[in-house]
Amino acid sequence: MAALIPILRPFFTSVTEAQPPISPRTSNHPHTLSRRDAVVSLSSASLLLFSLSPTEPAYAFGISGPKEWLKDQKKKSSRFLLAPIDASRESLRSVYLSLTTRESDYTDKDLESLQNLLRSSARDCVPKERSSLVDFQSKTGVEVCTFKLVLKNAASLLDDKDPVILKAEDILNDLVRSFGSLIVLTNGIDMNLPSDRKKIADAVMEAISFLDKFEKSVKDCLEI
């Protein structure tokens, strides 16, 4: 089945044909999800989830019905909740494909495009890479890291000290550090040097690995 899925198109405008060493995804183009789109996805996932609250009397008396209903609604809306993770992974895969299929003729504009795509994939979770507006919002107490919002939504019915949440938080911290290191690594590189491209490609694969682990931890919180 997977062999029939089309190969992602690299994000650079011109590349040479080659077989990518990572398995293809379902889109012909990098799945770029804007901050607004990510918020819309999270809002869609949350639409039916907070009409009942753990502070309601039903929870206080240990009645499981409403909580089970909420769990079921979370599972049904998981596609929207996980959309930002999948979009970031698709973007990183397009970067990896570009770096491993094109040998030369990179320009400063290509490097700028690479860095912008990596920042977008980090979903405002790397403080030093946030725009001035998003940074201002974070300083007013607003949570701006999309991945943190995803985890908070997925784990809202679990106890704060639940081992599943604690494990997910540790993985998220590793993911954010991975994105931060990856973006810093692109500063001052020469994309026409194979050694520099390999460094970035390896770091991209590491970030993808952490994204996969984070997605798994979110699914564990949702029990799916």
PDB file of all heavy atoms in Angstrom, residues 107-138:
ATOM      1  N   THR A 107      21.470  28.769  -3.432  1.00  0.00           N
ATOM      2  CA  THR A 107      21.658  30.215  -3.313  1.00  0.00           C
ATOM      3  C   THR A 107      21.331  30.658  -1.885  1.00  0.00           C
ATOM      4  O   THR A 107      20.828  29.876  -1.074  1.00  0.00           O
ATOM      5  CB  THR A 107      20.717  30.958  -4.283  1.00  0.00           C
ATOM      6  OG1 THR A 107      19.345  30.731  -3.886  1.00  0.00           O
ATOM      7  CG2 THR A 107      20.919  30.467  -5.715  1.00  0.00           C
ATOM      8  N   ASP A 108      21.610  31.931  -1.619  1.00  0.00           N
ATOM      9  CA  ASP A 108      21.264  32.487  -0.310  1.00  0.00           C
ATOM     10  C   ASP A 108      19.753  32.434  -0.085  1.00  0.00           C
ATOM     11  O   ASP A 108      19.291  32.256   1.051  1.00  0.00           O
ATOM     12  CB  ASP A 108      21.750  33.939  -0.212  1.00  0.00           C
ATOM     13  CG  ASP A 108      23.261  34.040  -0.116  1.00  0.00           C
ATOM     14  OD1 ASP A 108      23.901  33.025   0.225  1.00  0.00           O
ATOM     15  OD2 ASP A 108      23.806  35.132  -0.387  1.00  0.00           O
ATOM     16  N   LYS A 109      19.005  32.565  -1.157  1.00  0.00           N
ATOM     17  CA  LYS A 109      17.543  32.495  -1.051  1.00  0.00           C
ATOM     18  C   LYS A 109      17.102  31.100  -0.641  1.00  0.00           C
ATOM     19  O   LYS A 109      16.140  30.933   0.120  1.00  0.00           O
ATOM     20  CB  LYS A 109      16.899  32.887  -2.374  1.00  0.00           C
ATOM     21  CG  LYS A 109      15.378  33.003  -2.302  1.00  0.00           C
ATOM     22  CD  LYS A 109      14.816  33.536  -3.601  1.00  0.00           C
ATOM     23  CE  LYS A 109      13.295  33.669  -3.526  1.00  0.00           C
ATOM     24  NZ  LYS A 109      12.872  34.579  -2.458  1.00  0.00           N
ATOM     25  N   ASP A 110      17.808  30.069  -1.126  1.00  0.00           N
ATOM     26  CA  ASP A 110      17.498  28.701  -0.722  1.00  0.00           C
ATOM     27  C   ASP A 110      17.722  28.516   0.773  1.00  0.00           C
ATOM     28  O   ASP A 110      16.921  27.878   1.460  1.00  0.00           O
ATOM     29  CB  ASP A 110      18.366  27.702  -1.496  1.00  0.00           C
ATOM     30  CG  ASP A 110      17.940  27.568  -2.949  1.00  0.00           C
ATOM     31  OD1 ASP A 110      16.735  27.732  -3.223  1.00  0.00           O
ATOM     32  OD2 ASP A 110      18.809  27.315  -3.794  1.00  0.00           O
ATOM     33  N   LEU A 111      18.828  29.065   1.275  1.00  0.00           N
ATOM     34  CA  LEU A 111      19.125  28.967   2.696  1.00  0.00           C
ATOM     35  C   LEU A 111      18.062  29.691   3.519  1.00  0.00           C
ATOM     36  O   LEU A 111      17.600  29.186   4.556  1.00  0.00           O
ATOM     37  CB  LEU A 111      20.507  29.544   2.996  1.00  0.00           C
ATOM     38  CG  LEU A 111      20.919  29.568   4.476  1.00  0.00           C
ATOM     39  CD1 LEU A 111      20.885  28.167   5.077  1.00  0.00           C
ATOM     40  CD2 LEU A 111      22.312  30.193   4.639  1.00  0.00           C
ATOM     41  N   GLU A 112      17.659  30.853   3.052  1.00  0.00           N
ATOM     42  CA  GLU A 112      16.615  31.601   3.752  1.00  0.00           C
ATOM     43  C   GLU A 112      15.296  30.824   3.769  1.00  0.00           C
ATOM     44  O   GLU A 112      14.600  30.774   4.790  1.00  0.00           O
ATOM     45  CB  GLU A 112      16.408  32.962   3.072  1.00  0.00           C
ATOM     46  CG  GLU A 112      15.377  33.844   3.765  1.00  0.00           C
ATOM     47  CD  GLU A 112      15.181  35.176   3.054  1.00  0.00           C
ATOM     48  OE1 GLU A 112      15.944  35.468   2.117  1.00  0.00           O
ATOM     49  OE2 GLU A 112      14.254  35.914   3.437  1.00  0.00           O
ATOM     50  N   SER A 113      14.964  30.198   2.633  1.00  0.00           N
ATOM     51  CA  SER A 113      13.748  29.387   2.556  1.00  0.00           C
ATOM     52  C   SER A 113      13.823  28.206   3.517  1.00  0.00           C
ATOM     53  O   SER A 113      12.833  27.861   4.183  1.00  0.00           O
ATOM     54  CB  SER A 113      13.531  28.881   1.137  1.00  0.00           C
ATOM     55  OG  SER A 113      13.329  29.945   0.240  1.00  0.00           O
ATOM     56  N   LEU A 114      14.996  27.592   3.580  1.00  0.00           N
ATOM     57  CA  LEU A 114      15.213  26.477   4.501  1.00  0.00           C
ATOM     58  C   LEU A 114      14.979  26.905   5.945  1.00  0.00           C
ATOM     59  O   LEU A 114      14.245  26.253   6.699  1.00  0.00           O
ATOM     60  CB  LEU A 114      16.634  25.937   4.327  1.00  0.00           C
ATOM     61  CG  LEU A 114      17.144  24.978   5.410  1.00  0.00           C
ATOM     62  CD1 LEU A 114      16.406  23.659   5.327  1.00  0.00           C
ATOM     63  CD2 LEU A 114      18.644  24.760   5.288  1.00  0.00           C
ATOM     64  N   GLN A 115      15.586  28.016   6.338  1.00  0.00           N
ATOM     65  CA  GLN A 115      15.460  28.493   7.712  1.00  0.00           C
ATOM     66  C   GLN A 115      14.027  28.881   8.057  1.00  0.00           C
ATOM     67  O   GLN A 115      13.545  28.588   9.157  1.00  0.00           O
ATOM     68  CB  GLN A 115      16.412  29.670   7.943  1.00  0.00           C
ATOM     69  CG  GLN A 115      17.878  29.271   7.894  1.00  0.00           C
ATOM     70  CD  GLN A 115      18.814  30.468   7.932  1.00  0.00           C
ATOM     71  OE1 GLN A 115      18.490  31.539   7.409  1.00  0.00           O
ATOM     72  NE2 GLN A 115      19.976  30.293   8.537  1.00  0.00           N
ATOM     73  N   ASN A 116      13.345  29.516   7.113  1.00  0.00           N
ATOM     74  CA  ASN A 116      11.945  29.900   7.354  1.00  0.00           C
ATOM     75  C   ASN A 116      11.053  28.676   7.533  1.00  0.00           C
ATOM     76  O   ASN A 116      10.155  28.661   8.382  1.00  0.00           O
ATOM     77  CB  ASN A 116      11.430  30.763   6.199  1.00  0.00           C
ATOM     78  CG  ASN A 116      12.013  32.158   6.191  1.00  0.00           C
ATOM     79  OD1 ASN A 116      12.482  32.655   7.229  1.00  0.00           O
ATOM     80  ND2 ASN A 116      12.003  32.813   5.048  1.00  0.00           N
ATOM     81  N   LEU A 117      11.314  27.646   6.725  1.00  0.00           N
ATOM     82  CA  LEU A 117      10.506  26.436   6.825  1.00  0.00           C
ATOM     83  C   LEU A 117      10.762  25.707   8.146  1.00  0.00           C
ATOM     84  O   LEU A 117       9.838  25.170   8.772  1.00  0.00           O
ATOM     85  CB  LEU A 117      10.807  25.505   5.651  1.00  0.00           C
ATOM     86  CG  LEU A 117       9.870  24.306   5.468  1.00  0.00           C
ATOM     87  CD1 LEU A 117       8.416  24.768   5.373  1.00  0.00           C
ATOM     88  CD2 LEU A 117      10.254  23.512   4.230  1.00  0.00           C
ATOM     89  N   LEU A 118      12.006  25.729   8.601  1.00  0.00           N
ATOM     90  CA  LEU A 118      12.329  25.102   9.878  1.00  0.00           C
ATOM     91  C   LEU A 118      11.677  25.853  11.039  1.00  0.00           C
ATOM     92  O   LEU A 118      11.163  25.239  11.979  1.00  0.00           O
ATOM     93  CB  LEU A 118      13.850  25.041  10.074  1.00  0.00           C
ATOM     94  CG  LEU A 118      14.618  24.119   9.118  1.00  0.00           C
ATOM     95  CD1 LEU A 118      16.109  24.191   9.394  1.00  0.00           C
ATOM     96  CD2 LEU A 118      14.113  22.683   9.231  1.00  0.00           C
ATOM     97  N   ARG A 119      11.699  27.192  10.968  1.00  0.00           N
ATOM     98  CA  ARG A 119      11.047  27.981  12.018  1.00  0.00           C
ATOM     99  C   ARG A 119       9.545  27.709  12.052  1.00  0.00           C
ATOM    100  O   ARG A 119       8.944  27.582  13.116  1.00  0.00           O
ATOM    101  CB  ARG A 119      11.308  29.472  11.804  1.00  0.00           C
ATOM    102  CG  ARG A 119      12.751  29.899  12.019  1.00  0.00           C
ATOM    103  CD  ARG A 119      12.906  31.411  11.987  1.00  0.00           C
ATOM    104  NE  ARG A 119      14.298  31.803  12.103  1.00  0.00           N
ATOM    105  CZ  ARG A 119      15.065  32.130  11.071  1.00  0.00           C
ATOM    106  NH1 ARG A 119      14.558  32.112   9.840  1.00  0.00           N
ATOM    107  NH2 ARG A 119      16.324  32.476  11.252  1.00  0.00           N
ATOM    108  N   SER A 120       8.949  27.623  10.870  1.00  0.00           N
ATOM    109  CA  SER A 120       7.522  27.330  10.785  1.00  0.00           C
ATOM    110  C   SER A 120       7.223  25.951  11.358  1.00  0.00           C
ATOM    111  O   SER A 120       6.236  25.760  12.071  1.00  0.00           O
ATOM    112  CB  SER A 120       7.059  27.410   9.329  1.00  0.00           C
ATOM    113  OG  SER A 120       5.722  27.000   9.188  1.00  0.00           O
ATOM    114  N   SER A 121       8.081  24.988  11.078  1.00  0.00           N
ATOM    115  CA  SER A 121       7.879  23.625  11.567  1.00  0.00           C
ATOM    116  C   SER A 121       7.995  23.533  13.083  1.00  0.00           C
ATOM    117  O   SER A 121       7.404  22.650  13.702  1.00  0.00           O
ATOM    118  CB  SER A 121       8.906  22.680  10.924  1.00  0.00           C
ATOM    119  OG  SER A 121       8.773  22.671   9.520  1.00  0.00           O
ATOM    120  N   ALA A 122       8.747  24.453  13.681  1.00  0.00           N
ATOM    121  CA  ALA A 122       8.925  24.452  15.138  1.00  0.00           C
ATOM    122  C   ALA A 122       7.699  24.971  15.877  1.00  0.00           C
ATOM    123  O   ALA A 122       7.604  24.854  17.097  1.00  0.00           O
ATOM    124  CB  ALA A 122      10.153  25.282  15.516  1.00  0.00           C
ATOM    125  N   ARG A 123       6.741  25.567  15.170  1.00  0.00           N
ATOM    126  CA  ARG A 123       5.448  25.980  15.741  1.00  0.00           C
ATOM    127  C   ARG A 123       5.575  26.905  16.950  1.00  0.00           C
ATOM    128  O   ARG A 123       4.878  26.742  17.950  1.00  0.00           O
ATOM    129  CB  ARG A 123       4.625  24.734  16.130  1.00  0.00           C
ATOM    130  CG  ARG A 123       4.421  23.744  15.016  1.00  0.00           C
ATOM    131  CD  ARG A 123       3.538  24.289  13.941  1.00  0.00           C
ATOM    132  NE  ARG A 123       3.589  23.442  12.738  1.00  0.00           N
ATOM    133  CZ  ARG A 123       3.210  23.835  11.544  1.00  0.00           C
ATOM    134  NH1 ARG A 123       2.737  25.042  11.361  1.00  0.00           N
ATOM    135  NH2 ARG A 123       3.294  23.027  10.518  1.00  0.00           N
ATOM    136  N   ASP A 124       6.493  27.882  16.859  1.00  0.00           N
ATOM    137  CA  ASP A 124       6.657  28.889  17.913  1.00  0.00           C
ATOM    138  C   ASP A 124       7.068  28.284  19.253  1.00  0.00           C
ATOM    139  O   ASP A 124       6.815  28.867  20.317  1.00  0.00           O
ATOM    140  CB  ASP A 124       5.374  29.711  18.097  1.00  0.00           C
ATOM    141  CG  ASP A 124       5.022  30.517  16.868  1.00  0.00           C
ATOM    142  OD1 ASP A 124       5.927  31.151  16.301  1.00  0.00           O
ATOM    143  OD2 ASP A 124       3.839  30.505  16.466  1.00  0.00           O
ATOM    144  N   CYS A 125       7.714  27.127  19.208  1.00  0.00           N
ATOM    145  CA  CYS A 125       8.134  26.468  20.445  1.00  0.00           C
ATOM    146  C   CYS A 125       9.588  26.768  20.822  1.00  0.00           C
ATOM    147  O   CYS A 125      10.030  26.414  21.907  1.00  0.00           O
ATOM    148  CB  CYS A 125       7.923  24.963  20.324  1.00  0.00           C
ATOM    149  SG  CYS A 125       6.171  24.493  20.255  1.00  0.00           S
ATOM    150  N   VAL A 126      10.331  27.404  19.910  1.00  0.00           N
ATOM    151  CA  VAL A 126      11.713  27.804  20.195  1.00  0.00           C
ATOM    152  C   VAL A 126      11.704  29.308  20.464  1.00  0.00           C
ATOM    153  O   VAL A 126      11.547  30.103  19.526  1.00  0.00           O
ATOM    154  CB  VAL A 126      12.654  27.475  19.019  1.00  0.00           C
ATOM    155  CG1 VAL A 126      14.088  27.884  19.351  1.00  0.00           C
ATOM    156  CG2 VAL A 126      12.577  25.987  18.674  1.00  0.00           C
ATOM    157  N   PRO A 127      11.830  29.732  21.722  1.00  0.00           N
ATOM    158  CA  PRO A 127      11.675  31.147  22.095  1.00  0.00           C
ATOM    159  C   PRO A 127      12.477  32.123  21.242  1.00  0.00           C
ATOM    160  O   PRO A 127      11.958  33.162  20.834  1.00  0.00           O
ATOM    161  CB  PRO A 127      12.132  31.163  23.557  1.00  0.00           C
ATOM    162  CG  PRO A 127      11.801  29.795  24.057  1.00  0.00           C
ATOM    163  CD  PRO A 127      12.081  28.878  22.907  1.00  0.00           C
ATOM    164  N   LYS A 128      13.738  31.797  20.946  1.00  0.00           N
ATOM    165  CA  LYS A 128      14.592  32.726  20.211  1.00  0.00           C
ATOM    166  C   LYS A 128      14.172  32.889  18.752  1.00  0.00           C
ATOM    167  O   LYS A 128      14.621  33.822  18.084  1.00  0.00           O
ATOM    168  CB  LYS A 128      16.048  32.248  20.272  1.00  0.00           C
ATOM    169  CG  LYS A 128      16.671  32.349  21.658  1.00  0.00           C
ATOM    170  CD  LYS A 128      18.124  31.936  21.634  1.00  0.00           C
ATOM    171  CE  LYS A 128      18.765  32.066  23.007  1.00  0.00           C
ATOM    172  NZ  LYS A 128      20.195  31.650  22.994  1.00  0.00           N
ATOM    173  N   GLU A 129      13.322  32.014  18.262  1.00  0.00           N
ATOM    174  CA  GLU A 129      12.935  32.047  16.847  1.00  0.00           C
ATOM    175  C   GLU A 129      11.520  32.590  16.647  1.00  0.00           C
ATOM    176  O   GLU A 129      10.989  32.543  15.543  1.00  0.00           O
ATOM    177  CB  GLU A 129      13.044  30.648  16.240  1.00  0.00           C
ATOM    178  CG  GLU A 129      14.421  30.018  16.345  1.00  0.00           C
ATOM    179  CD  GLU A 129      15.499  30.839  15.669  1.00  0.00           C
ATOM    180  OE1 GLU A 129      15.176  31.557  14.699  1.00  0.00           O
ATOM    181  OE2 GLU A 129      16.666  30.762  16.099  1.00  0.00           O
ATOM    182  N   ARG A 130      10.907  33.127  17.695  1.00  0.00           N
ATOM    183  CA  ARG A 130       9.555  33.655  17.580  1.00  0.00           C
ATOM    184  C   ARG A 130       9.557  35.049  16.986  1.00  0.00           C
ATOM    185  O   ARG A 130      10.516  35.806  17.171  1.00  0.00           O
ATOM    186  CB  ARG A 130       8.885  33.688  18.956  1.00  0.00           C
ATOM    187  CG  ARG A 130       8.585  32.327  19.539  1.00  0.00           C
ATOM    188  CD  ARG A 130       8.182  32.413  21.001  1.00  0.00           C
ATOM    189  NE  ARG A 130       7.911  31.091  21.563  1.00  0.00           N
ATOM    190  CZ  ARG A 130       7.859  30.833  22.856  1.00  0.00           C
ATOM    191  NH1 ARG A 130       8.058  31.798  23.734  1.00  0.00           N
ATOM    192  NH2 ARG A 130       7.610  29.608  23.283  1.00  0.00           N
ATOM    193  N   SER A 131       8.481  35.399  16.301  1.00  0.00           N
ATOM    194  CA  SER A 131       8.328  36.760  15.809  1.00  0.00           C
ATOM    195  C   SER A 131       8.101  37.688  16.992  1.00  0.00           C
ATOM    196  O   SER A 131       7.779  37.242  18.104  1.00  0.00           O
ATOM    197  CB  SER A 131       7.131  36.846  14.850  1.00  0.00           C
ATOM    198  OG  SER A 131       5.911  36.625  15.563  1.00  0.00           O
ATOM    199  N   SER A 132       8.253  38.983  16.777  1.00  0.00           N
ATOM    200  CA  SER A 132       8.097  39.944  17.868  1.00  0.00           C
ATOM    201  C   SER A 132       6.686  39.900  18.443  1.00  0.00           C
ATOM    202  O   SER A 132       6.495  40.003  19.666  1.00  0.00           O
ATOM    203  CB  SER A 132       8.421  41.364  17.380  1.00  0.00           C
ATOM    204  OG  SER A 132       7.615  41.711  16.266  1.00  0.00           O
ATOM    205  N   LEU A 133       5.686  39.700  17.588  1.00  0.00           N
ATOM    206  CA  LEU A 133       4.300  39.653  18.053  1.00  0.00           C
ATOM    207  C   LEU A 133       4.053  38.420  18.914  1.00  0.00           C
ATOM    208  O   LEU A 133       3.468  38.511  20.004  1.00  0.00           O
ATOM    209  CB  LEU A 133       3.336  39.648  16.862  1.00  0.00           C
ATOM    210  CG  LEU A 133       1.837  39.498  17.208  1.00  0.00           C
ATOM    211  CD1 LEU A 133       1.389  40.623  18.126  1.00  0.00           C
ATOM    212  CD2 LEU A 133       0.992  39.452  15.937  1.00  0.00           C
ATOM    213  N   VAL A 134       4.515  37.281  18.432  1.00  0.00           N
ATOM    214  CA  VAL A 134       4.323  36.042  19.189  1.00  0.00           C
ATOM    215  C   VAL A 134       5.113  36.087  20.495  1.00  0.00           C
ATOM    216  O   VAL A 134       4.630  35.637  21.540  1.00  0.00           O
ATOM    217  CB  VAL A 134       4.754  34.825  18.341  1.00  0.00           C
ATOM    218  CG1 VAL A 134       4.712  33.538  19.169  1.00  0.00           C
ATOM    219  CG2 VAL A 134       3.860  34.691  17.118  1.00  0.00           C
ATOM    220  N   ASP A 135       6.312  36.663  20.447  1.00  0.00           N
ATOM    221  CA  ASP A 135       7.116  36.799  21.657  1.00  0.00           C
ATOM    222  C   ASP A 135       6.406  37.686  22.684  1.00  0.00           C
ATOM    223  O   ASP A 135       6.397  37.385  23.880  1.00  0.00           O
ATOM    224  CB  ASP A 135       8.487  37.389  21.311  1.00  0.00           C
ATOM    225  CG  ASP A 135       9.421  37.410  22.515  1.00  0.00           C
ATOM    226  OD1 ASP A 135       9.632  36.347  23.121  1.00  0.00           O
ATOM    227  OD2 ASP A 135       9.929  38.498  22.843  1.00  0.00           O
ATOM    228  N   PHE A 136       5.790  38.760  22.211  1.00  0.00           N
ATOM    229  CA  PHE A 136       5.027  39.639  23.102  1.00  0.00           C
ATOM    230  C   PHE A 136       3.859  38.877  23.726  1.00  0.00           C
ATOM    231  O   PHE A 136       3.598  38.998  24.938  1.00  0.00           O
ATOM    232  CB  PHE A 136       4.511  40.856  22.336  1.00  0.00           C
ATOM    233  CG  PHE A 136       3.578  41.728  23.137  1.00  0.00           C
ATOM    234  CD1 PHE A 136       4.074  42.610  24.093  1.00  0.00           C
ATOM    235  CD2 PHE A 136       2.209  41.653  22.943  1.00  0.00           C
ATOM    236  CE1 PHE A 136       3.220  43.406  24.848  1.00  0.00           C
ATOM    237  CE2 PHE A 136       1.334  42.451  23.676  1.00  0.00           C
ATOM    238  CZ  PHE A 136       1.849  43.325  24.641  1.00  0.00           C
ATOM    239  N   GLN A 137       3.157  38.096  22.922  1.00  0.00           N
ATOM    240  CA  GLN A 137       2.042  37.311  23.442  1.00  0.00           C
ATOM    241  C   GLN A 137       2.498  36.345  24.530  1.00  0.00           C
ATOM    242  O   GLN A 137       1.826  36.194  25.556  1.00  0.00           O
ATOM    243  CB  GLN A 137       1.372  36.534  22.302  1.00  0.00           C
ATOM    244  CG  GLN A 137       0.615  37.405  21.321  1.00  0.00           C
ATOM    245  CD  GLN A 137       0.045  36.603  20.162  1.00  0.00           C
ATOM    246  OE1 GLN A 137       0.682  35.664  19.672  1.00  0.00           O
ATOM    247  NE2 GLN A 137      -1.145  36.965  19.716  1.00  0.00           N
ATOM    248  N   SER A 138       3.644  35.708  24.308  1.00  0.00           N
ATOM    249  CA  SER A 138       4.144  34.745  25.289  1.00  0.00           C
ATOM    250  C   SER A 138       4.498  35.416  26.609  1.00  0.00           C
ATOM    251  O   SER A 138       4.320  34.839  27.682  1.00  0.00           O
ATOM    252  CB  SER A 138       5.374  34.011  24.739  1.00  0.00           C
ATOM    253  OG  SER A 138       6.490  34.891  24.636  1.00  0.00           O
TER     254      SER A 138
END
